[in-house]
Amino acid sequence: MVQALRVGGEIEGGAGVVGDDALFAALYPGLRRFAAVTGPAEVDPDDLVQEAVARTLRRHQLCELDDAAAYLRRVIVNLASNHRRGLARWRAVVPRLGRDDDGSVPEYTSDLADLLRLPLQTRALLYLVAVDGQSYAAAGAVVGLSEEAARARAARARKQLRLDLEGEQ
Amino acid sequence: MDDLRRRMEALGERGEPRGAARVLAAARRDSGGSGGRRARLLTALAITASVTLVGGVAAAVLGTNEDDAPAHETAAPTTPESTTTTEPEATTTTAAPAPTTTEVPVSAAVVKASRLVQFNTCGQYLSYVKTKAALVVTQFGLPEMYPRFGPPPPPPTTSAPGQQAGAAQVLGTGSGGGGGEFSQTNVQEAGIDEPDVMKTDGRTIFTVDSASNLRAVAPGNNPHVLSTLPVPGAQQMFLIGDRVVILGYSTGDGVGPKAMIAVVDVARPSAMRLLSRMDVDGYILSARLVRGVPRVVIQGSPEVQWSAPDDYQDPASVEGARSRNREFVARSGLADWLPNFKMTEGPRKGRTGQLTSCSAAYHPPGFAGFATLSVMTLNIDDPTRSHASSVVADGQIVYGSANRIYVATSRWGEIRADGSASPASETLIHEFDITDPTEAAYRVSGKVRGVALNQFSLSEDDGYLRVATSDPNFGAESFVSVLQDVGKALIQVGQVGGLGKGEQIRSVRFIGKTAYVVTFRQIDPLYVVDVSDPRKPVVRGELKLLGYSAYLHPIGDGLLLGVGVDANEEGRRAGLAVNLFDVSDPSTPKLVQHRGLGAGFSDIEFDHHAFLWWPATKLMMVPIVSYDAQYNPDFVGAIGLRIDRSAVDEVGRVKPPFKSGYPAPVQRTIVIGAHVYSLSSSGVMQSALNDLHPEAFVQY
């Protein structure tokens, strides 16, 4: 994807944080959409992107990365998983505060609800393949699956979505 | 496959984008402010805690098939066409309907419930925070991030609309290299400057880039960089005569984030000199420059290294961490809770101290968290002699008028003896008097129902504070409330509610005695609210169209400019758009011009400083990053539009050279004489004011 985002010109070395600005501006829309699809429904996509970038910047400048888009997507997937687990921890803390809301997933009454019921790795996989047009090998690498496993996971998810759709109809 | 792609794309649009620049700035702050385990844990807790609400809000906004429909039906909203100037038939005007006006009596109970309580001694302060902390400390430390309303802490940028039509874009005159009139930062109130990344006095352009370099650039026939001064952590600045005050963050020692305030001598722009640099616990929420005095609002958190369980599943590990944190609270001292400062450069380098005295600290009657909100009056000659007033509360929005600074904060419920709390959708507003150039004195507090969007949600006029809020609970509803400082409290004296049922405010602009409020879920009602009678604000008119305006700017002659987004009939974003409204008749606001700018984002949606309106030539500059169907950037730069009641015409485009092989988004544009200067990460582009053709480029 980084190649696709190089709009004329080659990447120069040593671009530093100024280069990071330009690179991130180019990557941001795609990363945000990926975060919106992958992240738990309660998490604001920008929060997820922000946290992914913050964690990355503690170790690297974005321009240093061979494929910043893929790297950040992997971080987003991992963070999304952490948040899903974190929500469970939050629910354990909430009763001590006597709150009514327990951080449960808000209801999506639209056709997006089917998608949101899929595991987040599967959502990420489907997005990369169906929207981004990536190969199963590349998409699988982002979510930590082999090409075969990614293909099988996507096929099962599509089948499930079809069944959900038929059920709704 | 198509259906899956469609659904994926729809899901990918959820939430309101904050923009690349803002997200990156916040990420940089997060990455540099406080690394390590504690930061990670707090971040996880904070996001986990806050997402409940954010998600709910996002669902409310984007759940386009939700059951509860907007309160007021529109007859026939029409999708505005893209990239063309259209006639105004795409709108429907309806008569002013359901909103209800409430006149609120002032009672002693209301006054008591609103007023901040002053700590008389440091012992009182310490006792207060330790008592509250002991009630709620967990195995992760303080659950200081209860689910809260409002936006996340913004980078130290602020946004605000002005009081007078076109007056907020202050004009100046210069006689130096640039020559002629020049524009200044687009601010909310004329004469109340706000920090930004680009400033000019007409003779020199000063910029702060993301690599924290302060640059002085000579405009004119041979634009060039005069000098560059690295100021680590620099994010924004004020230009005060021959001084630049830089605001940013520091990566210095300590647990929590550090704000950084530096003063630079720019009397000779070719030889800028760092005079002083100060680190302060916390981060800069916003700042204002009033009558040459910088007022910096700093949000600080307790400087504590909390314990955390090594194994979340192990009860003994969890209890051990909880016990250690309780012990810490019991043993903690003043320095652990109150913000401190340290001079890191200048003649007083090494000097440390407490930012605020205990007697200048307050707490709200209801518990509002452990953060400390400080209004610092900066002494630029000797920052150690600055004065700060502090409130033990969280702050999110800062609004400044000529004589007051208001800090709005979410209000949490009182913590009970059993440790429970009950959040309510309310906005607490703290008023500080800044008529004294040496200090900001706390005056009164007030509260209104609902959540304010940004600084544009607040406006002061004739001693009355007007506030536009949305209550996201129970189907959502928006209000315009009027508050009055009655000496002991900021009391709500009038209110009109029922705006945008099921929707939330997307932008607000107060102009004189009128408020323009845009709410949105699927369509964009623009409400015209008459606040000339503070006790009986009323909705005079309403206009509905698809999409919404994220920023409103009065351009005079009864015209209101809106920069925002087009949306389809399901409420999904369809691109960037510029709308021109005729609001000369409050009862029948009209859309007189619409121009779609295609798929993309503009920083104006999130930061009004990116907006430039040059009245002399009716030129509006719109920084934009637009994308093709594959989400690849197809134009990155700025578009100049000539705005007129009869037409919106493109004047030209500014496209900065690439930086390191990537397009460089335009961050700011200013006018000096017959030139437009556009700041991007690659440098400053000089273009002709009349048609924006490129004249020169100053490479960074």
Side-chain angles (χ1 to χ4, degrees):
Chain A
M1 276 307 289
V2 166
Q3 283 73 15
L5 291 166
R6 288 176 185 162
V7 185
E10 293 298 314
I11 301 174
E12 295 169 5
V17 292
V18 178
D20 279 1
D21 272 30
L23 174 59
F24 184 70
L27 296 178
Y28 169 71
L31 287 175
R32 192 185 182 285
R33 288 187 180 88
F34 182 74
V37 169
T38 305
E42 306 91 329
V43 178
D44 184 86
D46 274 331
D47 285 347
L48 210 48
V49 175
Q50 176 182 321
E51 194 178 356
V53 175
R55 289 186 180 227
T56 303
L57 289 176
R58 285 173 194 161
R59 297 186 180 187
H60 312 282
Q61 290 183 355
L62 299 181
C63 285
E64 295 172 353
L65 301 168
D66 289 339
D67 188 340
Y71 186 96
L72 287 168
R73 281 179 171 147
R74 279 195 292 275
V75 178
I76 287 171
V77 169
N78 291 338
L79 287 172
S81 301
N82 289 347
H83 282 308
R84 194 164 49 83
R85 288 192 287 271
L87 286 167
R89 290 200 294 276
W90 170 247
R91 289 184 194 109
V93 172
V94 161
R96 290 171 47 78
L97 302 175
R99 290 182 46 79
D100 294 332
D101 50 342
D102 59 358
S104 59
V105 179
E107 287 294 326
Y108 276 75
T109 55
S110 70
D111 56 354
L112 305 184
D114 295 340
L115 275 180
L116 287 169
R117 277 194 288 271
L118 294 175
L120 64 90
Q121 285 90 351
T122 307
R123 292 204 301 272
L125 184 65
L126 287 177
Y127 177 86
L128 293 172
V129 173
V131 179
D132 252 10
Q134 294 196 19
S135 68
Y136 282 103
V142 171
V143 298
L145 295 173
S146 68
E147 181 178 356
E148 293 75 19
R151 202 179 287 278
R153 178 84 68 95
R156 280 201 300 272
R158 285 201 181 91
K159 184 179 177 184
Q160 183 60 49
L161 286 173
R162 271 198 302 275
L163 290 174
D164 289 343
L165 195 61
E166 288 166 9
E168 288 167 12
Q169 289 169 346
Chain B
M1 192 67 170
D2 283 347
D3 180 65
L4 175 61
R5 183 185 171 108
R6 179 191 63 75
R7 285 201 266 177
M8 282 285 178
E9 288 177 342
L11 190 56
E13 295 298 326
R14 72 182 175 88
E16 281 301 312
R18 295 202 291 269
R22 197 165 178 175
V23 170
L24 185 59
R28 284 201 172 110
R29 189 186 63 224
D30 291 350
S31 68
S34 58
R37 186 182 195 189
R38 182 247 182 196
R40 288 197 297 275
L41 285 168
L42 287 183
T43 302
L45 260 180
I47 294 180
T48 303
S50 59
V51 293
T52 306
L53 178 71
V54 173
V57 170
V61 172
L62 295 170
T64 54
N65 294 328
E66 287 184 341
D67 295 336
D68 42 1
H72 311 302
E73 294 296 329
T74 178
T78 310
T79 307
E81 293 177 18
S82 182
T83 324
T84 55
T85 302
T86 64
E87 294 302 315
E89 67 266 15
T91 64
T92 301
T93 305
T94 60
T100 52
T101 298
T102 311
E103 188 174 351
V104 181
V106 177
S107 70
V110 171
V111 171
K112 185 179 178 184
S114 301
R115 185 164 172 76
L116 291 184
V117 180
Q118 184 173 14
F119 296 107
N120 292 319
T121 66
C122 289
Q124 283 183 4
Y125 176 90
L126 198 54
S127 172
Y128 174 82
V129 292
K130 289 174 72 170
T131 302
K132 297 293 184 186
L135 285 171
V136 295
V137 68
T138 73
Q139 64 269 34
F140 302 112
L142 292 178
E144 52 194 322
M145 300 84 179
Y146 298 121
R148 67 178 85 164
F149 301 110
T157 67
T158 45
S159 53
Q163 291 280 3
Q164 302 299 323
Q169 196 99 42
V170 182
L171 302 184
T173 55
S175 56
E181 290 190 324
F182 59 91
S183 65
Q184 293 184 344
T185 303
N186 182 40
V187 296
Q188 179 172 7
E189 301 286 5
I192 315 296
D193 199 11
E194 299 170 16
D196 199 16
V197 296
M198 190 179 199
K199 296 281 182 183
T200 186
D201 57 4
R203 298 185 299 272
T204 309
I205 299 169
F206 296 94
T207 68
V208 171
D209 65 26
S210 57
S212 300
N213 292 311
L214 171 65
R215 283 191 177 86
V217 175
N221 294 330
N222 176 31
H224 59 282
V225 174
L226 291 164
S227 65
T228 301
L229 180 70
V231 184
Q235 292 181 303
Q236 293 188 307
M237 65 183 152
F238 286 122
L239 175 58
I240 311 169
D242 57 4
R243 296 283 186 273
V244 164
V245 173
I246 293 185
L247 308 175
Y249 64 91
S250 170
T251 56
D253 299 335
V255 177
K258 303 279 185 201
M260 181 276 292
I261 301 169
V263 181
V264 177
D265 178 358
V266 296
R268 292 175 54 219
S270 58
M272 296 187 291
R273 195 164 53 96
L274 183 64
L275 296 178
S276 66
R277 179 186 165 107
M278 168 191 262
D279 287 358
V280 182
D281 294 340
Y283 63 88
I284 295 172
L285 193 61
S286 189
R288 294 292 184 274
L289 180 66
V290 186
R291 293 181 288 275
V293 179
R295 315 280 183 163
V296 186
V297 183
I298 298 172
Q299 178 82 70
S301 297
E303 288 273 297
V304 177
Q305 181 75 55
W306 298 105
S307 288
D310 295 322
D311 180 357
Y312 300 136
Q313 308 298 326
D314 178 10
S317 176
V318 169
E319 188 50 43
R322 187 179 293 134
S323 296
R324 286 192 295 278
N325 288 335
R326 283 176 180 155
E327 286 169 20
F328 173 80
V329 169
R331 285 187 282 103
S332 61
L334 205 58
D336 296 312
W337 301 95
L338 269 181
N340 296 291
F341 73 83
K342 180 179 182 180
M343 296 302 298
T344 55
E345 292 292 343
R348 297 184 185 275
K349 182 177 179 180
R351 176 172 289 194
T352 60
Q354 202 168 285
L355 182 65
T356 186
S357 67
C358 297
S359 60
Y362 301 81
H363 72 84
F367 177 68
F370 296 98
T372 304
L373 186 69
S374 302
V375 178
M376 178 183 184
T377 302
L378 181 67
N379 182 326
I380 60 174
D381 297 323
D382 181 359
T384 63
R385 299 178 66 186
S386 300
H387 175 275
S389 292
S390 299
V391 180
V392 184
D394 193 36
Q396 290 150 355
I397 295 169
V398 176
Y399 164 73
S401 67
N403 297 314
R404 297 285 186 270
I405 280 185
Y406 298 90
V407 183
T409 176
S410 303
R411 185 188 190 284
W412 299 321
E414 178 68 36
I415 293 187
R416 307 185 190 103
D418 62 358
S420 63
S422 53
S425 173
E426 290 180 332
T427 296
L428 260 181
I429 301 163
H430 311 306
E431 178 187 325
F432 293 84
D433 183 345
I434 55 170
T435 50
D436 184 336
T438 62
E439 68 173 60
Y442 162 72
R443 275 188 59 82
V444 290
S445 291
K447 65 179 179 180
V448 293
R449 180 182 166 188
V451 179
L453 175 68
N454 56 28
Q455 68 188 67
F456 290 97
S457 302
L458 286 76
S459 168
E460 187 189 84
D461 181 71
D462 276 352
Y464 291 96
L465 179 69
R466 297 85 58 91
V467 187
T469 55
S470 292
D471 184 348
N473 295 327
F474 311 113
E477 179 182 2
S478 297
F479 308 87
V480 172
S481 309
V482 183
L483 294 90
Q484 183 181 17
D485 177 352
V486 295
K488 291 183 178 179
L490 195 58
I491 298 301
Q492 180 182 309
V493 294
Q495 184 184 71
V496 59
L499 281 69
K501 285 279 179 68
E503 302 168 342
Q504 292 188 62
I505 290 176
R506 282 288 170 265
S507 62
V508 187
R509 188 99 201 203
F510 287 90
I511 303 170
K513 309 287 186 191
T514 306
Y516 300 93
V517 181
V518 171
T519 62
F520 175 74
R521 191 175 71 172
Q522 289 164 280
I523 56 171
D524 160 12
L526 167 69
Y527 292 97
V528 181
V529 183
D530 180 353
V531 286
S532 56
D533 182 350
R535 297 181 181 279
K536 292 179 180 174
V538 291
V539 174
R540 293 291 182 204
E542 179 184 349
L543 172 70
K544 292 182 176 180
L545 65 161
L546 290 173
Y548 63 88
S549 298
Y551 175 69
L552 297 169
H553 191 93
I555 61 172
D557 217 12
L559 297 174
L560 187 66
L561 199 50
V563 181
V565 302
D566 278 339
N568 61 25
E569 292 183 357
E570 293 177 313
R572 290 179 186 140
R573 185 185 180 106
L576 198 63
V578 172
N579 291 317
L580 184 64
F581 302 102
D582 180 346
V583 292
S584 52
D585 181 352
S587 64
T588 55
K590 301 183 190 75
L591 177 68
V592 292
Q593 290 296 327
H594 166 84
R595 188 180 183 97
L597 298 176
F601 298 91
S602 173
D603 277 358
I604 296 173
E605 295 176 61
F606 321 104
D607 185 353
H608 64 287
H609 298 142
F611 178 88
L612 171 67
W613 169 248
W614 188 244
T617 58
K618 297 185 176 179
L619 174 70
M620 179 178 70
M621 294 296 295
V622 184
I624 186 171
V625 177
S626 63
Y627 298 90
D628 61 21
Q630 280 71 48
Y631 306 126
N632 294 320
D634 62 3
F635 176 72
V636 177
I639 299 175
L641 298 172
R642 183 106 50 224
I643 308 292
D644 194 78
R645 185 185 292 272
S646 58
V648 175
D649 297 321
E650 183 170 321
V651 174
R653 295 187 175 212
V654 174
K655 187 176 183 181
F658 283 13
K659 178 74 174 179
S660 305
Y662 292 99
V666 169
Q667 299 164 296
R668 299 289 186 270
T669 51
I670 61 172
V671 172
I672 302 178
H675 312 284
V676 174
Y677 295 87
S678 305
L679 173 67
S680 69
S681 59
S682 59
V684 174
M685 171 82 90
Q686 177 181 299
S687 310
L689 177 61
N690 60 345
D691 62 1
L692 297 182
H693 77 264
E695 296 177 326
F697 181 68
V698 181
Q699 179 90 37
Y700 278 4

